[in-house]
Structure formats: C-alpha cells, structure tokens
Amino acid sequence: MSPNGSDRSPRRPMRRKLLQALTAGLVLATATGCTYKDFPRLGMPTPTTEEAPRILSLWQGSWAAALATGVLVWGLILWSAFFHRRSRTKVEVPPQTRYNMPIEALYTVVPIIIISVLFYFTARDESKLLDLSKKPDVTVNVVGFQWSWGFNYVENVPGVSGNAKTDKNLDAIPDRFKKDFPANAGGVYDVGTPATKNPQTGNPGPTLWLPKGKTVRFVLTSRDVIHSFWVVPFLMKMDVIPGHTNSFQVTPNHEGTFLGKCAELCGVDHSRMLFNVKVVSPAAYEAHLKDLAKKGQTGYIPAGIAQTSHEKNRETNNL
C-alpha cells in the first residue's frame, strides 16, 4: 500500500518506462537508414532485377507491420489474462465497461490508419513498377498458350526484313504498345512445348534470352485462356489474358538461368507450363538472335486472340 493509503502499486512507472523504451526502439529502428539487404527475405528469392528490391522492401515492410501489430495484440491479450485473472482479484464478476467512446474510437481509427498506410505504399510501388514511360531497350512479346510459351523478339536482326508495327501476326497487340516498337523490326521468335528442355540445365520448358543491364518490356498476350507470366527471382508476375494486352518492364542485373512458370490455373496441364529465363551479356544476346535467324525462326508467331469490343473502346479512350 502506498503512503497515502491507496492501493496503487509501482507498476505504473514501470509501464511508463516500458512504453518509453519501446518508442525509443521504434524510432531507432526506423531512423537507421536500413535497406532491404539488412533484413531477412522471408521466403523471397534473391532479387535479380533493378525493380525487384522495391517489391522485396514492400514484402518486408508488410511483415514488419504485421509483426508489430501481432506483438501489440498478443501483449494486450496476455496482459489482460494475467492481471485480470480471477485468482488475483478474488472478484466474482469484474467491473463491466460500456460505451467507452475513447476505446471505441481507438479500435475504429487505428485499423483505418493501418490500412491507409499499407494502401499508400502499395499504390506508390505499384505505380512505379507499372510505369511504361521509359522507352525500352528490348521488347519481347510473350505468348501464352496451352501448354507452353512462345517468345517474339521485336528486334532489328541483321538479314531479317519486316515490320512489327504492321505484321498481321501481331494484330492482337494494341497500337499504344506498338508505338515503342523499333522501326522495320523483322524480328525472330522461339516457341516451346511441354517437352522442351534447357540444354544447359535440363530444366523443362523453352528458354527466353534477355540482355543484362538493358530495360526489357514484356508485352503479354494469350491465344486461349488466362495464364500468368512469372519469373520467380524477378519477384514480378502478371496475367496473360486473351483479348487483353498487359505489359511491364524490368532491367535484369544478374546473369544466369532462372526458372519461370505459369501462376494461373489454366487447365489440365497447367503444371507443365514452365520456362527458363537466361540473362546474358548484350553481345551474347545479339548472337542468340542471329542464331535464331540462321535456324529460320524469323518473323513472329501469332500473338493471340484479337481484342474484344469493350477493350477496343477502352484503348481508344486512353489514346
């Protein structure tokens, strides 16, 4: 009992010190200028593009916010269970609290703030990741079909004539994507089957070649159903939709051969829709395009299903 006769214990100063310590720790943790490399990847693979660290940082931040929220909730549950247990108070029915406006406002406002913060960072990063304002160095039309992938390299390849902007096989691609195609790009292609394997690694699926350090724009089209183009260490995937063209771009910064797969359940052989991505030097990339031309794989394979009417209207309104 305290000197003034009250039943106040010294727990309140201790709680105040604990709160101050937690606040100081939070300030130190957020003010040290840490990057994504200073924290565990939490199941994510090592990023291999210039854009992937942004996705990894969002992933780590979401886990940190969830952990902080969890610690607070678990702490309140344990505190209430321990300090308000019946054996400690000897009270049959504890005091009942009704219509406590501060508490009700707190558990209404705090979730709104949490969701707003998560929405802000997600919308900010999404707008950056989907920005196509920068003209790409390389454009690849990725064609999904049951049950493999085709790759149209929209490039000026020596000895190959044609024009990607007017090629009938690329009619499914809207003009707003074609405006950044190279002029008079005859192009080359590669196409796989579920039985195709990478000759170096033996991994199933066709192999998409990309140059290191170059901005690559993927133009995604489908011939049949919805697929999803996912290069695992790029930390980025996007749906491949018939009658609708999607696009994003990345800059690979690590050489190597990486795994890719369809991330959308697209039918009975969905699990066989695998592919590989081989990131090489720009010189090796150019040599590969010439090899495809020598094999007779010139021009383009059909990109996919023509746009639906409502999509054509949307494209017209956005021009």
Side-chain angles (χ1 to χ4, degrees):
M1 184 171 293
S2 61
N4 59 6
S6 65
D7 193 26
R8 183 177 299 172
S9 67
R11 289 197 307 271
R12 185 169 298 175
M14 183 61 69
R15 293 174 190 168
R16 187 179 297 114
K17 291 179 181 179
L18 179 60
L19 180 60
Q20 292 172 350
L22 290 174
T23 304
L26 181 62
V27 171
L28 289 174
T30 56
T32 53
C34 296
T35 66
Y36 75 94
K37 296 180 180 179
D38 300 311
F39 299 98
R41 295 195 305 274
L42 301 168
M44 284 286 193
T46 301
T48 58
T49 68
E50 292 183 3
E51 295 76 15
R54 179 180 293 274
I55 302 172
L56 180 56
S57 294
L58 182 63
W59 172 255
Q60 292 169 324
S62 299
W63 268 99
L67 181 60
T69 303
V71 168
L72 175 62
V73 173
W74 299 328
L76 290 175
I77 291 173
L78 294 175
W79 176 82
S80 60
F82 181 78
F83 286 102
H84 295 281
R85 65 189 187 279
R86 180 180 175 184
S87 61
R88 179 176 178 272
T89 60
K90 307 299 182 182
V91 176
E92 185 70 24
V93 179
Q96 303 298 298
T97 301
R98 299 180 180 88
Y99 310 113
N100 189 305
M101 291 304 295
I103 293 180
E104 292 182 12
L106 181 67
Y107 63 62
T108 301
V109 173
V110 169
I112 293 176
I113 294 175
I114 293 173
I115 296 301
S116 299
V117 171
L118 291 174
F119 175 82
Y120 166 76
F121 285 107
T122 301
R124 182 200 65 180
D125 291 343
E126 182 181 15
S127 64
K128 290 288 186 181
L129 293 168
L130 300 182
D131 181 26
L132 300 178
S133 60
K134 180 182 178 181
K135 190 171 182 178
D137 300 309
V138 173
T139 300
V140 180
N141 170 218
V142 177
V143 183
F145 57 90
Q146 296 171 320
W147 308 99
S148 195
W149 301 88
F151 308 115
N152 285 322
Y153 296 92
V154 185
E155 293 277 358
N156 286 306
V157 182
V160 179
S161 61
N163 189 343
K165 295 183 178 181
T166 58
D167 193 293
K168 294 298 182 182
N169 286 325
L170 303 182
D171 280 348
I173 300 176
D175 290 339
R176 69 188 182 98
F177 293 103
K178 293 181 178 179
K179 65 181 178 64
D180 288 330
F181 283 3
N184 302 316
V188 291
Y189 71 87
D190 197 4
V191 63
T193 68
T196 306
K197 290 188 177 182
N198 182 280
Q200 284 80 38
T201 64
N203 293 329
T207 300
L208 168 63
W209 288 55
L210 299 176
K212 177 184 176 182
K214 300 292 185 180
T215 300
V216 180
R217 178 175 297 179
F218 298 113
V219 179
L220 311 177
T221 55
S222 171
R223 292 183 186 173
D224 36 52
V225 299
I226 298 178
H227 303 282
S228 185
F229 179 71
W230 180 25
V231 184
V232 178
F234 286 8
L235 310 188
M236 179 76 177
K237 62 182 177 180
M238 185 172 284
D239 281 352
V240 185
I241 304 174
H244 172 84
T245 302
N246 279 332
S247 185
F248 71 96
Q249 56 193 44
V250 297
T251 305
N253 55 14
H254 286 73
E255 292 189 14
T257 301
F258 310 110
L259 298 178
K261 60 182 70 178
C262 175
E264 183 77 27
L265 182 58
C266 55
V268 64
D269 280 338
H270 159 71
S271 62
R272 302 183 69 192
M273 280 198 66
L274 306 174
F275 63 97
N276 304 277
V277 175
K278 188 179 180 70
V279 179
V280 296
S281 66
Y285 172 75
E286 296 294 337
H288 176 67
L289 299 185
K290 294 177 182 178
D291 288 341
L292 292 177
K294 290 178 181 179
K295 294 177 183 178
Q297 296 173 219
T298 58
Y300 305 102
I301 60 173
I305 296 174
Q307 282 189 303
T308 55
S309 298
H310 72 278
E311 265 302 296
K312 289 181 179 179
N313 293 335
R314 189 184 72 87
E315 297 292 350
T316 301
N317 293 334
N318 287 339
L319 292 177

PDB file of all heavy atoms in Angstrom, residues 132-156:
ATOM      1  N   LEU A 132       5.455   2.737 -67.761  1.00  0.00           N
ATOM      2  CA  LEU A 132       5.995   2.415 -69.084  1.00  0.00           C
ATOM      3  C   LEU A 132       6.473   3.665 -69.816  1.00  0.00           C
ATOM      4  O   LEU A 132       6.608   3.658 -71.040  1.00  0.00           O
ATOM      5  CB  LEU A 132       4.931   1.703 -69.927  1.00  0.00           C
ATOM      6  CG  LEU A 132       4.380   0.388 -69.388  1.00  0.00           C
ATOM      7  CD1 LEU A 132       3.306  -0.162 -70.314  1.00  0.00           C
ATOM      8  CD2 LEU A 132       5.491  -0.633 -69.196  1.00  0.00           C
ATOM      9  N   SER A 133       6.722   4.734 -69.062  1.00  0.00           N
ATOM     10  CA  SER A 133       7.112   5.982 -69.704  1.00  0.00           C
ATOM     11  C   SER A 133       8.518   5.900 -70.304  1.00  0.00           C
ATOM     12  O   SER A 133       8.816   6.578 -71.300  1.00  0.00           O
ATOM     13  CB  SER A 133       7.039   7.137 -68.703  1.00  0.00           C
ATOM     14  OG  SER A 133       7.911   6.904 -67.598  1.00  0.00           O
ATOM     15  N   LYS A 134       9.379   5.081 -69.725  1.00  0.00           N
ATOM     16  CA  LYS A 134      10.734   4.925 -70.249  1.00  0.00           C
ATOM     17  C   LYS A 134      10.721   4.003 -71.459  1.00  0.00           C
ATOM     18  O   LYS A 134      10.197   2.887 -71.397  1.00  0.00           O
ATOM     19  CB  LYS A 134      11.666   4.362 -69.177  1.00  0.00           C
ATOM     20  CG  LYS A 134      13.100   4.171 -69.642  1.00  0.00           C
ATOM     21  CD  LYS A 134      13.960   3.572 -68.542  1.00  0.00           C
ATOM     22  CE  LYS A 134      15.392   3.341 -69.015  1.00  0.00           C
ATOM     23  NZ  LYS A 134      16.228   2.728 -67.952  1.00  0.00           N
ATOM     24  N   LYS A 135      11.295   4.444 -72.551  1.00  0.00           N
ATOM     25  CA  LYS A 135      11.336   3.615 -73.748  1.00  0.00           C
ATOM     26  C   LYS A 135      12.284   2.449 -73.517  1.00  0.00           C
ATOM     27  O   LYS A 135      13.421   2.628 -73.086  1.00  0.00           O
ATOM     28  CB  LYS A 135      11.799   4.432 -74.954  1.00  0.00           C
ATOM     29  CG  LYS A 135      11.644   3.692 -76.278  1.00  0.00           C
ATOM     30  CD  LYS A 135      11.896   4.590 -77.460  1.00  0.00           C
ATOM     31  CE  LYS A 135      11.685   3.843 -78.770  1.00  0.00           C
ATOM     32  NZ  LYS A 135      11.868   4.706 -79.960  1.00  0.00           N
ATOM     33  N   PRO A 136      11.849   1.216 -73.815  1.00  0.00           N
ATOM     34  CA  PRO A 136      12.682   0.041 -73.514  1.00  0.00           C
ATOM     35  C   PRO A 136      13.814  -0.130 -74.518  1.00  0.00           C
ATOM     36  O   PRO A 136      13.754   0.338 -75.657  1.00  0.00           O
ATOM     37  CB  PRO A 136      11.682  -1.110 -73.614  1.00  0.00           C
ATOM     38  CG  PRO A 136      10.678  -0.639 -74.617  1.00  0.00           C
ATOM     39  CD  PRO A 136      10.543   0.844 -74.381  1.00  0.00           C
ATOM     40  N   ASP A 137      14.848  -0.830 -74.068  1.00  0.00           N
ATOM     41  CA  ASP A 137      15.937  -1.206 -74.970  1.00  0.00           C
ATOM     42  C   ASP A 137      15.578  -2.456 -75.761  1.00  0.00           C
ATOM     43  O   ASP A 137      16.023  -2.628 -76.899  1.00  0.00           O
ATOM     44  CB  ASP A 137      17.216  -1.477 -74.159  1.00  0.00           C
ATOM     45  CG  ASP A 137      17.662  -0.266 -73.358  1.00  0.00           C
ATOM     46  OD1 ASP A 137      17.763   0.824 -73.945  1.00  0.00           O
ATOM     47  OD2 ASP A 137      17.889  -0.410 -72.140  1.00  0.00           O
ATOM     48  N   VAL A 138      14.774  -3.324 -75.152  1.00  0.00           N
ATOM     49  CA  VAL A 138      14.392  -4.595 -75.760  1.00  0.00           C
ATOM     50  C   VAL A 138      12.904  -4.809 -75.517  1.00  0.00           C
ATOM     51  O   VAL A 138      12.396  -4.515 -74.433  1.00  0.00           O
ATOM     52  CB  VAL A 138      15.202  -5.765 -75.151  1.00  0.00           C
ATOM     53  CG1 VAL A 138      14.691  -7.107 -75.663  1.00  0.00           C
ATOM     54  CG2 VAL A 138      16.682  -5.605 -75.438  1.00  0.00           C
ATOM     55  N   THR A 139      12.204  -5.320 -76.535  1.00  0.00           N
ATOM     56  CA  THR A 139      10.788  -5.647 -76.390  1.00  0.00           C
ATOM     57  C   THR A 139      10.580  -7.113 -76.750  1.00  0.00           C
ATOM     58  O   THR A 139      11.035  -7.570 -77.803  1.00  0.00           O
ATOM     59  CB  THR A 139       9.912  -4.767 -77.289  1.00  0.00           C
ATOM     60  OG1 THR A 139      10.097  -3.395 -76.940  1.00  0.00           O
ATOM     61  CG2 THR A 139       8.442  -5.123 -77.121  1.00  0.00           C
ATOM     62  N   VAL A 140       9.893  -7.831 -75.886  1.00  0.00           N
ATOM     63  CA  VAL A 140       9.585  -9.236 -76.120  1.00  0.00           C
ATOM     64  C   VAL A 140       8.083  -9.435 -75.967  1.00  0.00           C
ATOM     65  O   VAL A 140       7.512  -9.085 -74.927  1.00  0.00           O
ATOM     66  CB  VAL A 140      10.327 -10.165 -75.140  1.00  0.00           C
ATOM     67  CG1 VAL A 140       9.975 -11.627 -75.429  1.00  0.00           C
ATOM     68  CG2 VAL A 140      11.836  -9.960 -75.228  1.00  0.00           C
ATOM     69  N   ASN A 141       7.457  -9.954 -77.004  1.00  0.00           N
ATOM     70  CA  ASN A 141       6.046 -10.345 -76.921  1.00  0.00           C
ATOM     71  C   ASN A 141       5.983 -11.778 -76.405  1.00  0.00           C
ATOM     72  O   ASN A 141       6.408 -12.712 -77.077  1.00  0.00           O
ATOM     73  CB  ASN A 141       5.389 -10.223 -78.294  1.00  0.00           C
ATOM     74  CG  ASN A 141       3.996 -10.841 -78.358  1.00  0.00           C
ATOM     75  OD1 ASN A 141       3.625 -11.441 -79.355  1.00  0.00           O
ATOM     76  ND2 ASN A 141       3.238 -10.727 -77.290  1.00  0.00           N
ATOM     77  N   VAL A 142       5.492 -11.928 -75.168  1.00  0.00           N
ATOM     78  CA  VAL A 142       5.356 -13.256 -74.554  1.00  0.00           C
ATOM     79  C   VAL A 142       3.967 -13.783 -74.885  1.00  0.00           C
ATOM     80  O   VAL A 142       2.957 -13.155 -74.568  1.00  0.00           O
ATOM     81  CB  VAL A 142       5.553 -13.185 -73.035  1.00  0.00           C
ATOM     82  CG1 VAL A 142       5.326 -14.551 -72.399  1.00  0.00           C
ATOM     83  CG2 VAL A 142       6.944 -12.667 -72.698  1.00  0.00           C
ATOM     84  N   VAL A 143       3.925 -14.952 -75.547  1.00  0.00           N
ATOM     85  CA  VAL A 143       2.659 -15.548 -75.978  1.00  0.00           C
ATOM     86  C   VAL A 143       2.399 -16.802 -75.145  1.00  0.00           C
ATOM     87  O   VAL A 143       3.189 -17.755 -75.174  1.00  0.00           O
ATOM     88  CB  VAL A 143       2.702 -15.912 -77.479  1.00  0.00           C
ATOM     89  CG1 VAL A 143       1.346 -16.465 -77.918  1.00  0.00           C
ATOM     90  CG2 VAL A 143       3.085 -14.697 -78.313  1.00  0.00           C
ATOM     91  N   GLY A 144       1.323 -16.783 -74.379  1.00  0.00           N
ATOM     92  CA  GLY A 144       0.946 -17.952 -73.591  1.00  0.00           C
ATOM     93  C   GLY A 144      -0.096 -18.776 -74.323  1.00  0.00           C
ATOM     94  O   GLY A 144      -1.019 -18.228 -74.938  1.00  0.00           O
ATOM     95  N   PHE A 145       0.041 -20.086 -74.267  1.00  0.00           N
ATOM     96  CA  PHE A 145      -0.939 -20.970 -74.890  1.00  0.00           C
ATOM     97  C   PHE A 145      -0.869 -22.321 -74.185  1.00  0.00           C
ATOM     98  O   PHE A 145       0.130 -22.659 -73.535  1.00  0.00           O
ATOM     99  CB  PHE A 145      -0.670 -21.135 -76.395  1.00  0.00           C
ATOM    100  CG  PHE A 145       0.699 -21.640 -76.736  1.00  0.00           C
ATOM    101  CD1 PHE A 145       0.966 -22.998 -76.848  1.00  0.00           C
ATOM    102  CD2 PHE A 145       1.758 -20.745 -76.930  1.00  0.00           C
ATOM    103  CE1 PHE A 145       2.236 -23.465 -77.159  1.00  0.00           C
ATOM    104  CE2 PHE A 145       3.031 -21.201 -77.234  1.00  0.00           C
ATOM    105  CZ  PHE A 145       3.273 -22.573 -77.349  1.00  0.00           C
ATOM    106  N   GLN A 146      -1.931 -23.083 -74.288  1.00  0.00           N
ATOM    107  CA  GLN A 146      -1.940 -24.405 -73.678  1.00  0.00           C
ATOM    108  C   GLN A 146      -1.103 -25.356 -74.541  1.00  0.00           C
ATOM    109  O   GLN A 146      -1.465 -25.629 -75.670  1.00  0.00           O
ATOM    110  CB  GLN A 146      -3.377 -24.915 -73.560  1.00  0.00           C
ATOM    111  CG  GLN A 146      -4.246 -24.067 -72.622  1.00  0.00           C
ATOM    112  CD  GLN A 146      -5.717 -24.456 -72.700  1.00  0.00           C
ATOM    113  OE1 GLN A 146      -6.252 -24.723 -73.773  1.00  0.00           O
ATOM    114  NE2 GLN A 146      -6.384 -24.482 -71.553  1.00  0.00           N
ATOM    115  N   TRP A 147       0.088 -25.817 -74.027  1.00  0.00           N
ATOM    116  CA  TRP A 147       0.572 -25.747 -72.659  1.00  0.00           C
ATOM    117  C   TRP A 147       2.032 -25.307 -72.636  1.00  0.00           C
ATOM    118  O   TRP A 147       2.876 -25.952 -72.049  1.00  0.00           O
ATOM    119  CB  TRP A 147       0.430 -27.096 -71.962  1.00  0.00           C
ATOM    120  CG  TRP A 147      -0.957 -27.622 -72.078  1.00  0.00           C
ATOM    121  CD1 TRP A 147      -1.417 -28.545 -72.964  1.00  0.00           C
ATOM    122  CD2 TRP A 147      -2.081 -27.215 -71.309  1.00  0.00           C
ATOM    123  NE1 TRP A 147      -2.750 -28.743 -72.786  1.00  0.00           N
ATOM    124  CE2 TRP A 147      -3.195 -27.940 -71.778  1.00  0.00           C
ATOM    125  CE3 TRP A 147      -2.249 -26.305 -70.271  1.00  0.00           C
ATOM    126  CZ2 TRP A 147      -4.469 -27.788 -71.249  1.00  0.00           C
ATOM    127  CZ3 TRP A 147      -3.515 -26.163 -69.743  1.00  0.00           C
ATOM    128  CH2 TRP A 147      -4.607 -26.898 -70.227  1.00  0.00           C
ATOM    129  N   SER A 148       2.357 -24.204 -73.296  1.00  0.00           N
ATOM    130  CA  SER A 148       3.743 -23.738 -73.275  1.00  0.00           C
ATOM    131  C   SER A 148       3.777 -22.247 -73.596  1.00  0.00           C
ATOM    132  O   SER A 148       2.768 -21.554 -73.466  1.00  0.00           O
ATOM    133  CB  SER A 148       4.598 -24.541 -74.262  1.00  0.00           C
ATOM    134  OG  SER A 148       5.983 -24.330 -74.009  1.00  0.00           O
ATOM    135  N   TRP A 149       4.944 -21.793 -74.039  1.00  0.00           N
ATOM    136  CA  TRP A 149       5.169 -20.363 -74.234  1.00  0.00           C
ATOM    137  C   TRP A 149       5.880 -20.116 -75.565  1.00  0.00           C
ATOM    138  O   TRP A 149       6.672 -20.942 -76.026  1.00  0.00           O
ATOM    139  CB  TRP A 149       6.046 -19.790 -73.116  1.00  0.00           C
ATOM    140  CG  TRP A 149       5.476 -19.972 -71.752  1.00  0.00           C
ATOM    141  CD1 TRP A 149       5.637 -21.050 -70.930  1.00  0.00           C
ATOM    142  CD2 TRP A 149       4.621 -19.066 -71.052  1.00  0.00           C
ATOM    143  NE1 TRP A 149       4.951 -20.863 -69.754  1.00  0.00           N
ATOM    144  CE2 TRP A 149       4.315 -19.643 -69.796  1.00  0.00           C
ATOM    145  CE3 TRP A 149       4.087 -17.805 -71.347  1.00  0.00           C
ATOM    146  CZ2 TRP A 149       3.508 -19.030 -68.863  1.00  0.00           C
ATOM    147  CZ3 TRP A 149       3.291 -17.186 -70.409  1.00  0.00           C
ATOM    148  CH2 TRP A 149       3.000 -17.794 -69.176  1.00  0.00           C
ATOM    149  N   GLY A 150       5.588 -18.974 -76.162  1.00  0.00           N
ATOM    150  CA  GLY A 150       6.315 -18.504 -77.331  1.00  0.00           C
ATOM    151  C   GLY A 150       6.856 -17.117 -77.056  1.00  0.00           C
ATOM    152  O   GLY A 150       6.255 -16.344 -76.288  1.00  0.00           O
ATOM    153  N   PHE A 151       7.992 -16.793 -77.672  1.00  0.00           N
ATOM    154  CA  PHE A 151       8.633 -15.502 -77.434  1.00  0.00           C
ATOM    155  C   PHE A 151       8.936 -14.832 -78.773  1.00  0.00           C
ATOM    156  O   PHE A 151       9.721 -15.352 -79.572  1.00  0.00           O
ATOM    157  CB  PHE A 151       9.925 -15.685 -76.633  1.00  0.00           C
ATOM    158  CG  PHE A 151       9.743 -16.485 -75.367  1.00  0.00           C
ATOM    159  CD1 PHE A 151      10.354 -17.725 -75.211  1.00  0.00           C
ATOM    160  CD2 PHE A 151       8.944 -16.015 -74.336  1.00  0.00           C
ATOM    161  CE1 PHE A 151      10.196 -18.474 -74.057  1.00  0.00           C
ATOM    162  CE2 PHE A 151       8.764 -16.751 -73.173  1.00  0.00           C
ATOM    163  CZ  PHE A 151       9.390 -17.986 -73.029  1.00  0.00           C
ATOM    164  N   ASN A 152       8.280 -13.714 -79.023  1.00  0.00           N
ATOM    165  CA  ASN A 152       8.553 -12.897 -80.198  1.00  0.00           C
ATOM    166  C   ASN A 152       9.542 -11.801 -79.810  1.00  0.00           C
ATOM    167  O   ASN A 152       9.211 -10.916 -79.003  1.00  0.00           O
ATOM    168  CB  ASN A 152       7.265 -12.253 -80.733  1.00  0.00           C
ATOM    169  CG  ASN A 152       6.376 -13.243 -81.458  1.00  0.00           C
ATOM    170  OD1 ASN A 152       6.860 -14.124 -82.174  1.00  0.00           O
ATOM    171  ND2 ASN A 152       5.066 -13.109 -81.295  1.00  0.00           N
ATOM    172  N   TYR A 153      10.753 -11.873 -80.355  1.00  0.00           N
ATOM    173  CA  TYR A 153      11.756 -10.839 -80.090  1.00  0.00           C
ATOM    174  C   TYR A 153      11.571  -9.719 -81.112  1.00  0.00           C
ATOM    175  O   TYR A 153      11.896  -9.887 -82.293  1.00  0.00           O
ATOM    176  CB  TYR A 153      13.169 -11.426 -80.200  1.00  0.00           C
ATOM    177  CG  TYR A 153      13.485 -12.488 -79.174  1.00  0.00           C
ATOM    178  CD1 TYR A 153      13.258 -13.837 -79.457  1.00  0.00           C
ATOM    179  CD2 TYR A 153      14.015 -12.162 -77.931  1.00  0.00           C
ATOM    180  CE1 TYR A 153      13.557 -14.823 -78.530  1.00  0.00           C
ATOM    181  CE2 TYR A 153      14.321 -13.146 -76.995  1.00  0.00           C
ATOM    182  CZ  TYR A 153      14.084 -14.469 -77.300  1.00  0.00           C
ATOM    183  OH  TYR A 153      14.389 -15.452 -76.377  1.00  0.00           O
ATOM    184  N   VAL A 154      11.017  -8.599 -80.656  1.00  0.00           N
ATOM    185  CA  VAL A 154      10.745  -7.477 -81.551  1.00  0.00           C
ATOM    186  C   VAL A 154      12.044  -6.685 -81.697  1.00  0.00           C
ATOM    187  O   VAL A 154      12.297  -5.711 -80.972  1.00  0.00           O
ATOM    188  CB  VAL A 154       9.605  -6.604 -80.999  1.00  0.00           C
ATOM    189  CG1 VAL A 154       9.238  -5.511 -82.004  1.00  0.00           C
ATOM    190  CG2 VAL A 154       8.381  -7.468 -80.691  1.00  0.00           C
ATOM    191  N   GLU A 155      12.869  -7.109 -82.650  1.00  0.00           N
ATOM    192  CA  GLU A 155      14.220  -6.565 -82.787  1.00  0.00           C
ATOM    193  C   GLU A 155      14.582  -6.394 -84.257  1.00  0.00           C
ATOM    194  O   GLU A 155      14.046  -7.088 -85.136  1.00  0.00           O
ATOM    195  CB  GLU A 155      15.232  -7.520 -82.137  1.00  0.00           C
ATOM    196  CG  GLU A 155      15.119  -7.645 -80.631  1.00  0.00           C
ATOM    197  CD  GLU A 155      15.845  -6.536 -79.897  1.00  0.00           C
ATOM    198  OE1 GLU A 155      16.475  -5.691 -80.566  1.00  0.00           O
ATOM    199  OE2 GLU A 155      15.780  -6.511 -78.660  1.00  0.00           O
ATOM    200  N   ASN A 156      15.502  -5.490 -84.504  1.00  0.00           N
ATOM    201  CA  ASN A 156      16.140  -5.388 -85.814  1.00  0.00           C
ATOM    202  C   ASN A 156      17.284  -6.396 -85.867  1.00  0.00           C
ATOM    203  O   ASN A 156      18.345  -6.168 -85.293  1.00  0.00           O
ATOM    204  CB  ASN A 156      16.678  -3.969 -86.047  1.00  0.00           C
ATOM    205  CG  ASN A 156      15.566  -2.978 -86.342  1.00  0.00           C
ATOM    206  OD1 ASN A 156      14.772  -3.185 -87.246  1.00  0.00           O
ATOM    207  ND2 ASN A 156      15.509  -1.900 -85.564  1.00  0.00           N
TER     208      ASN A 156
END
